[in-house]
Amino acid sequence: LLLGILTFKPQLGLMVPVALAAAGAWRSFGACVVVTAVLAVVTVLAFGAGAWVDWLTTLPGYQSRFDLRVGDLHKQPTVTANLVMAGVSAAAAQFVQAAVAAVMVVLVWMCCRRGLSRTAIAVVAAATVAANPHAFFYDLPMLTAAALFLGQSRVQAGDRLNWAETSLLLGVLWIPSVVLWAQFPVSLPVVLPFALWAGWQGLRAVEAWPGHAVANCNSASRA
């Protein structure tokens, strides 16, 4: 239900279909589709089919105006905005953004294929922000949640965070405030490394899954 409602801002659900498909959560996938369809029908009943036509026809123009908001680039924690701020051409920035998105899709698929654990969900959230060409600082609570999930998972597993990992987590927690005043590409060195690190944590969890299963079986047998 909630994922279906999330379609009001679809870029925040960019990795949701990938995660659900990888985990084989087809009932959740189907429920999301049904809720989205119901919302679309309700919209037609309330405002007429012309509302959808108007939305589709005005969307390209809105995207163009969004991309030209140069004064707001420092508030956008995206690869595209940060590279443009650094002087990279828009076309090159969009190419890099597409490449990053492709990498994130692969990471989400690999990390979710054994189920939607808390670590996998953190990967989905981090990958969504990294892959997203259109996001603002107020979309970053999902990144904060991912950082807390991953930190908690490491602590519960008895692992110690090294200084680089601790610095990265602190950077994620501070970045929503920093981007409001920093007039330089400050998000990219935090958001992208964190997304890659989250993916690495997710892959470690997936690889460790069989070992945990064997340990649990042995414990049950002894009991």
Side-chain angles (χ1 to χ4, degrees):
L1 175 62
L2 292 175
L3 293 176
I5 294 174
L6 184 61
T7 54
F8 88 97
K9 197 168 186 180
Q11 65 267 35
L12 295 187
L14 201 61
M15 295 292 162
V16 168
V18 180
L20 294 180
W26 299 113
R27 186 164 58 178
S28 296
F29 202 123
C32 181
V33 172
V34 169
V35 171
T36 303
V38 169
L39 291 175
V41 171
V42 170
T43 303
V44 171
L45 294 177
F47 306 108
W52 283 106
V53 176
D54 292 340
W55 180 71
L56 290 172
T57 54
T58 58
L59 193 59
Y62 172 78
Q63 180 176 343
S64 298
R65 291 194 300 273
F66 187 96
D67 292 338
L68 293 174
R69 293 172 65 179
V70 179
D72 289 333
L73 287 179
H74 67 286
K75 297 179 182 179
Q76 301 178 40
T78 65
V79 172
T80 301
N82 276 246
L83 290 180
V84 171
M85 285 181 67
V88 177
S89 68
Q94 291 171 357
F95 176 80
V96 175
Q97 180 73 78
V100 170
V103 172
M104 293 300 131
V105 167
V106 173
L107 283 177
V108 168
W109 181 272
M110 294 179 67
C111 293
C112 294
R113 70 182 191 271
R114 288 191 179 273
L116 297 174
S117 64
R118 177 162 289 205
T119 300
I121 293 172
V123 175
V124 172
T128 297
V129 177
N132 208 325
H134 292 154
F136 272 94
F137 64 95
Y138 47 70
D139 296 321
L140 289 176
M142 61 194 304
L143 204 66
T144 303
L148 295 176
F149 278 9
L150 291 174
Q152 182 189 44
S153 298
R154 286 289 296 272
V155 171
Q156 289 180 339
D159 292 338
R160 186 183 298 273
L161 293 168
N162 60 41
W163 67 268
E165 293 171 325
T166 302
S167 300
L168 187 58
L169 290 178
L170 290 175
V172 169
L173 297 179
W174 277 100
I175 201 67
S177 300
V178 174
V179 295
L180 288 175
W181 56 266
Q183 298 289 332
F184 56 92
V186 67
S187 302
L188 189 60
V190 175
V191 173
L192 188 54
F194 175 72
L196 294 172
W197 179 75
W200 178 65
Q201 297 295 320
L203 292 176
R204 286 182 59 196
V206 170
E207 293 302 322
W209 192 292
H212 289 318
V214 171
N216 291 336
C217 289
N218 290 338
S219 299
S221 297
R222 287 195 298 272

